[in-house]
């Protein structure tokens, strides 16, 4: 943007006497079964790519909603909105894409009948397969259809841990919200990520996270953005209640956890008296062309971190954010 002036199972035995006693049968533990097979998981990824391409060609939100959910869907719809806000001459021609299934690893946990099923995948692309993405696909409770809910490109691919697999090749899902499973529960991770944006990590971010490229990128976003108006204004970041609270975690071979979660934060740009902010080309889908002394933006993000199960720092290895709302002073609450 520019600125301008004026702008137990119970065991039972028999007593020593012959009096009959009632016995209780132990309640069998629920049986956990794999969410799906490897071949089925790869087929779901292929299906996702195919439908995603068709939806993206025409910005078909309803079609996209059949294969995406959660924060990923919110981000994709945001991309549609921003593209639609551009003059047609400025819109990039859509290029179809697909995942290389031969360079994709799937990690499938076991679940009981009452648990929501999901699986993780790691895809690789580029000439040397140097581009690494972590994805989560989850089965929707009502429709039973599989939807991709997170896709995160890694800043630190070499820090992606090896996932623990059982004798049959299946992964182990963990509850990232419980301190019994991870030393740093997901709500603390969210707070630390939010702090990276709001203070540059000075309150909790640098205490929770070890140094990594992903954390450094969040801190850099804070440091650079808060100074963008110089002496003419100020930018502040605020952590917000997460729009999407689900988290996904897998046990790693070294006894840690790979955790995927979402966070939400806002950014408020304000210029001082005598100045106004002019919406840029990419802002107009949200803000139109009306200048304002203040604009507020909301960002929806997906993050992934390696989290120890014993006290110690976690490592943020990647995150993806999109602006999913924006408004000016006149419409702010």
């Amino acid at each position: 943007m520019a600125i301008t002036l004026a702008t137990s199972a119970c065991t039972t035995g028999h007593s020593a006497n012959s009096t009959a006693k009632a016995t209780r049968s132990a309640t069998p533990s629920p049986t956990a079964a794999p969410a799906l097979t490897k071949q089925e998981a790869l087929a779901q990824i292929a299906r996702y790519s195919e439908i995603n391409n068709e939806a993206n060609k025409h910005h078909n939100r309803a079609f996209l909603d059949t294969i995406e959910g959660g924060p990923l869907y919110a981000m994709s719809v945001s991309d549609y909105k921003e593209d639609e806000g551009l003059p047609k001459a400025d819109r990039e021609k859509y290029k179809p894409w697909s995942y290389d299934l031969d360079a994709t690893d799937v990690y499938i946990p076991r679940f009981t009948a009452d648990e929501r099923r999901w699986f993780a995948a790691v895809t690789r692309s580029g000439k040397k397969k140097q581009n690494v993405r972590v994805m989560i696909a989850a089965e929707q409770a009502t429709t039973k259809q599989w939807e991709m809910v997170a896709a995160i490109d890694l800043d630190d691919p070499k820090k992606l841990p090896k996932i623990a697999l059982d004798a049959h090749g299946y992964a182990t899902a963990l509850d990232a919200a419980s301190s019994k499973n991870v030393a740093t529960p997901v709500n603390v991770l969210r707070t630390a990520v939010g702090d990276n944006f709001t203070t540059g990590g000075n309150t909790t971010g640098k205490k929770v996270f070890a140094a990594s490229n992903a954390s450094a990128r969040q801190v850099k976003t804070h440091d650079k953005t808060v100074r963008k108006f110089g002496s003419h204004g100020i930018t502040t970041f605020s952590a917000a209640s997460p729009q999407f609270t689900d988290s996904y975690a897998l046990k790693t071979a070294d006894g840690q956890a790979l955790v995927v979660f979402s966070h939400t934060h806002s950014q408020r740009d304000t210029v001082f008296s005598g100045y106004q902010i002019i919406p840029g080309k990419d802002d107009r889908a949200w803000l139109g062309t009306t200048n304002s002394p203040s604009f507020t933006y909301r960002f929806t993000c997906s993050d992934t971190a390696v989290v120890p199960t014993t006290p110690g720092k976690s490592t943020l290895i990647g995150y993806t954010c999109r602006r999913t709302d924006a408004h000016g002073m006149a419409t702010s609450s």
Side-chain angles (χ1 to χ4, degrees), residues 43 66 75 82 100 153 157 159 197 203 207 228-229 245 319:
T66 66
M75 293 184 211
E82 292 197 358
D100 182 353
D153 295 324
K159 293 185 179 181
F197 285 102
T203 303
K207 293 178 181 179
K228 69 178 181 177
F229 292 129
T245 59
Y319 74 96

Side-chain angles (χ1 to χ4, degrees), residues 295-318:
F295 288 117
T296 300
Y297 319 88
R298 183 181 68 188
F299 294 87
T300 298
C301 311
S302 288
D303 311 80
T304 185
V306 182
V307 183
T309 54
T310 57
K313 287 189 175 183
S314 299
T315 303
L316 188 72
I317 61 174

Side-chain angles (χ1 to χ4, degrees), residues 186-204:
V186 68
N187 64 313
V188 178
L189 296 175
R190 283 197 184 98
T191 298
V193 165
D195 185 63
N196 280 347
F197 285 102
T198 58
T199 75
N202 292 327
T203 303
T204 60

